[in-house]
């Protein structure tokens, strides 16, 4: 049982990776707790979550092999 | 019509689409990295009326990516240089210029004259103002943003045959991101071709919306990474309450600069104050930029602890002196100063306002 996590933009400065596989977590809140322990800088970063390419605004139940993307805001033009 | 022949002979396009382009009115806010390529293709494709809003002048550091301008334009207003150069490309179209920053006092009046708005701005405050105006006036907004090697594009406030709802930037970020946590291109850098690609995608989406060809990125955000050549598309859902002002009066009274955290902060120290302290006190000064970021300075001595390694190196920040943090423009250092205040309670910690860029500018002024 695992999850696929994708990091975008300035978040990769913190994680140094675009993509990781994590153990399974039952919902997005517990996943985020895990990621913030793994990558401390994430606690202070801003991003929106997408689960299987759908933006989610609240805690969401996860399933085996779900793909979760962390999308930070971009301001440059 | 001869000049548009190559697109008119496209079966899906035809003369009908060309007429739609010639009758359309598109406003582009920000004639910078994203705006330049979009403007070039709008003029070339025959968008009948193009509005350009920008308050900047052409600078030498723009020419690396803002391909509408050349060395003869240095120092000119961007709107003037853009109008002149686009006029040479296509003299049959009308170009309106607005030498101003878009704010909530002028946005409604300007945007009311156009069918579609293209977001080529470089800050969150203007992005929220454009977003909210387009929601209130019910105009499609073609969003684009870039950083380093990545960019995003999307279409807001557009209903299509496959989508019976409309979303906007507030459905992606309900409240404005904190500018000091999210670097700009001035701060973090940008590969020159990247806004070229994203701005061209914005132009493509705009032309698709006007002509009704294909499927615009309505209710979607497309991310592009130039290093890995990867595209990633996500779907937006409509939020119940997304915070857009309820009407135009409410919008005009909204304090966007407060809402978007664009104001100054107690954890910052001005360059002039910093200079005084350098003469009178022993300071611990830390550069939190990543290795290789320029310029370096020999004006004062400092340690280097890159922000990316902040948490591993927290004990190097412990000191009895005043701790001054700096970076390129003062955004990242303010973020670090605030983190350190939490992590090292009791220490006096300041971020150098304007960063090393402002320090260097100040030196030049004094000479």
């Amino acid at each position: 049982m695992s999850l696929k996590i994708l990091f975008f933009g300035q978040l990769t400065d913190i994680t140094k990776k675009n993509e990781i596989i994590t153990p399974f977590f039952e919902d997005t809140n517990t996943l985020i707790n895990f990621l913030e322990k793994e990558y401390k800088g994430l606690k202070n970063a801003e991003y929106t979550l997408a689960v299987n390419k759908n933006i989610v605004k609240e805690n969401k139940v996860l399933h085996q092999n779900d793909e979760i993307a962390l999308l930070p805001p971009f301001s440059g033009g | 019509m001869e000049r548009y022949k190559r697109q008119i002979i496209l079966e899906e396009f035809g003369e009908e689409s060309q007429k739609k382009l010639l009758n359309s009115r598109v406003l582009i806010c920000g004639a910078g990295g994203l705006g330049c390529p979009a403007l070039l293709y709008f003029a070339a494709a025959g968008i009948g009326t193009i509005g350009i809003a920008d308050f900047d002048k052409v600078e030498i550091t723009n020419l690396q990516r803002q391909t509408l301008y050349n060395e003869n334009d240095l120092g000119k207003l961007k709107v003037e240089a853009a109008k002149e150069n686009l006029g040479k490309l296509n003299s049959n179209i009308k170009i309106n210029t607005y030498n101003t920053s878009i704010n909530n006092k002028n946005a409604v009046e300007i945007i009311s004259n156009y069918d579609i708005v293209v977001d080529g701005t470089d800050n969150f405050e203007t992005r929220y103002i454009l977003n909210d105006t387009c929601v209130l006036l019910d105009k499609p907004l073609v969003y684009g943003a870039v950083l380093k090697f990545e960019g995003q594009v999307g279409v807001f406030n557009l209903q299509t045959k496959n989508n019976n709802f409309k979303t906007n930037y507030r459905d992606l970020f309900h409240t404005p991101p904190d500018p000091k946590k999210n670097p700009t291109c001035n701060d973090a850098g940008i590969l020159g071709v990247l806004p070229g690609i994203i701005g061209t995608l914005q132009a493509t989406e705009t032309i698709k919306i006007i002509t009704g060809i294909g499927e615009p990125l309505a209710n979607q955000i497309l991310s592009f990474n130039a290093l890995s050549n990867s595209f990633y598309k996500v779907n937006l859902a409509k939020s119940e309450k997304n915070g857009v002002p309820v009407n135009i009066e409410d919008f005009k009274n909204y304090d966007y600069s407060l809402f978007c955290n664009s104001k100054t902060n107690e954890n910052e120290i001005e360059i002039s104050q910093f200079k005084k302290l350098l003469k009178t006190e022993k300071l611990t000064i830390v550069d939190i930029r990543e290795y290789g970021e320029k310029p370096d300075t020999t004006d004062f001595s400092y340690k280097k602890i890159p922000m990316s390694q902040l948490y591993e190196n927290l004990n190097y920040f412990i000191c009895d002196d005043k701790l001054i943090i700096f970076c390129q423009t003062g955004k990242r250092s303010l973020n670090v100063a605030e983190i350190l205040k939490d992590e090292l309670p009791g220490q006096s910690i300041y971020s150098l306002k304007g960063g090393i860029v402002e320090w260097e500018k100040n030196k030049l002024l004094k000479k």
Side-chain angles (χ1 to χ4, degrees), chain B residues 137-245:
Chain B
L137 298 179
D138 199 17
K139 310 259 183 192
L141 174 65
V142 182
Y143 157 81
V146 289
L147 192 76
K148 291 169 84 173
F149 304 99
E150 279 179 72
Q152 293 181 333
V153 56
V155 174
F156 297 139
N157 213 37
L158 178 75
Q159 201 167 317
T160 66
K161 52 182 184 292
N162 298 326
N163 274 305
N164 58 2
F165 63 102
K166 295 176 184 177
T167 53
N168 64 76
Y169 192 70
R170 287 186 188 247
D171 295 308
L172 183 62
F173 289 98
H174 184 173
T175 52
D178 190 339
K180 58 187 180 293
K181 289 182 186 170
N182 298 291
T184 63
C185 297
N186 294 351
D187 220 359
I190 180 77
L191 186 71
V193 293
L194 209 270
I197 294 166
I198 301 297
T200 307
L201 286 172
Q202 287 179 279
T204 313
E205 290 307 299
T206 308
I207 289 169
K208 281 161 63 183
I209 297 167
I210 296 167
T211 57
I213 295 170
E215 282 177 43
L217 282 164
N219 306 323
Q220 292 181 315
I221 299 288
L222 175 69
S223 294
F224 171 68
N225 184 323
L227 295 182
S228 57
N229 274 314
S230 50
F231 284 94
Y232 196 78
K233 201 153 76 173
V234 296
N235 302 306
L236 283 169
K238 193 159 181 55
S239 312
E240 279 298 304
K241 273 188 177 174
N242 60 14
V244 176

Side-chain angles (χ1 to χ4, degrees), chain A residues 6 8-10 13 16 18 40-41 44 46-48 50 53-55 57 67 69 71-77, chain B residues 33-34 121-124 127 145-148 150 171-173 177-178 181-182 185 232-235 308 335 339:
Chain A
L6 305 174
F8 287 81
Q10 55 267 39
D13 290 342
K16 306 288 173 209
N18 295 320
K40 288 208 170 114
N44 202 46
E46 291 177 301
Y47 51 85
T48 287
K53 302 193 174 180
N54 292 306
I55 299 280
K57 288 291 182 189
E67 181 177 274
L71 303 154
F74 286 19
S75 77
Chain B
L34 295 169
T121 60
D122 62 358
N123 66 84
F124 292 119
R127 288 187 187 281
V146 289
L147 192 76
K148 291 169 84 173
E150 279 179 72
D171 295 308
L172 183 62
F173 289 98
D178 190 339
K181 289 182 186 170
N182 298 291
C185 297
Y232 196 78
K233 201 153 76 173
V234 296
N235 302 306
S308 59
N335 187 15
I339 297 172

Side-chain angles (χ1 to χ4, degrees), chain B residues 4-60:
Chain B
Y4 307 118
K5 203 171 167 187
R6 290 294 181 277
Q7 60 201 35
I8 290 174
I9 58 171
L10 288 167
E11 199 186 317
E12 300 80 352
F13 195 94
E15 245 173 73
E16 202 52 40
S17 290
Q18 190 58 52
K19 280 183 191 149
K20 285 180 184 166
L21 290 186
L22 289 166
N23 288 327
S24 67
R25 306 169 62 87
V26 175
L27 176 71
I28 184 143
C29 295
L34 295 169
C36 283
L39 282 166
L40 282 165
Y41 279 103
F42 287 158
I47 301 269
T49 306
I50 302 174
I52 312 170
D54 201 301
F55 59 92
D56 266 338
K57 289 179 177 161
V58 180
E59 291 178 31
I60 187 77

Side-chain angles (χ1 to χ4, degrees), chain A residues 13-32:
Chain A
D13 290 342
I14 298 168
T15 61
K16 306 288 173 209
K17 287 177 192 137
N18 295 320
E19 191 179 320
I20 59 166
I21 303 290
T22 69
F24 179 77
F25 293 93
E26 61 186 10
D27 58 28
T28 48
N29 282 355
T30 45
L31 169 69
I32 294 304

